[in-house]
Amino acid sequence: EIYSSTDAEKEMGLTRNEMVALAMLLGGDYTDGVKGVGIVNGMEILQAFSVKDSVKDGLSRFREWLDGFDAFDSLISDNLNTLGQ
C-alpha cells in the first residue's frame, strides 16, 4: 500500500505543521514521543497549542504548560470544587 501525506492531511483535516507536531507527540522511529499521549490527547494538544505558524513554538508552549502543571494541586482543586457544589 502507498500512503500519501496529502491524502492523510485531507482525511484528518490537518495541516502539514499539525501532522509533524502530531508525529512528534505520538512518537515513531525517530522520536520517543510524549509518554501517555495518544491520538485523542495529541489532537487535543494541537487544538490548545496551535502549531499553525511554528511547530517549535506550539510544542514549546505545550512543554511550558506541562512543566508548570502540578497534578497534586489540580487534584486538590477538583476535590474542593466538588465539595463546594
Side-chain angles (χ1 to χ4, degrees):
E1 279 188 67
I2 297 174
Y3 296 97
S4 164
S5 64
T6 54
D7 290 343
E9 287 175 26
K10 286 179 193 174
E11 191 71 29
M12 296 173 65
L14 298 175
T15 66
R16 183 178 188 281
N17 276 0
E18 289 171 327
M19 296 219 4
V20 169
L22 188 60
M24 294 174 77
L25 290 167
L26 298 177
D29 291 345
Y30 303 104
T31 181
D32 290 334
V34 178
K35 183 178 179 179
V37 173
I39 187 69
V40 173
N41 296 107
M43 295 296 285
E44 290 171 344
I45 291 165
L46 293 181
Q47 287 179 336
F49 302 93
S50 176
V51 295
K52 178 182 175 187
D53 297 323
S54 168
V55 173
K56 182 179 178 184
D57 290 347
L59 292 183
S60 292
R61 286 191 305 276
F62 170 62
R63 175 67 187 260
E64 289 171 13
W65 174 83
L66 192 58
D67 286 345
F69 181 74
D70 186 338
F72 182 74
D73 283 347
S74 180
L75 179 64
I76 296 295
S77 177
D78 289 346
N79 285 333
L80 288 175
N81 287 336
T82 302
L83 291 174
Q85 292 179 0

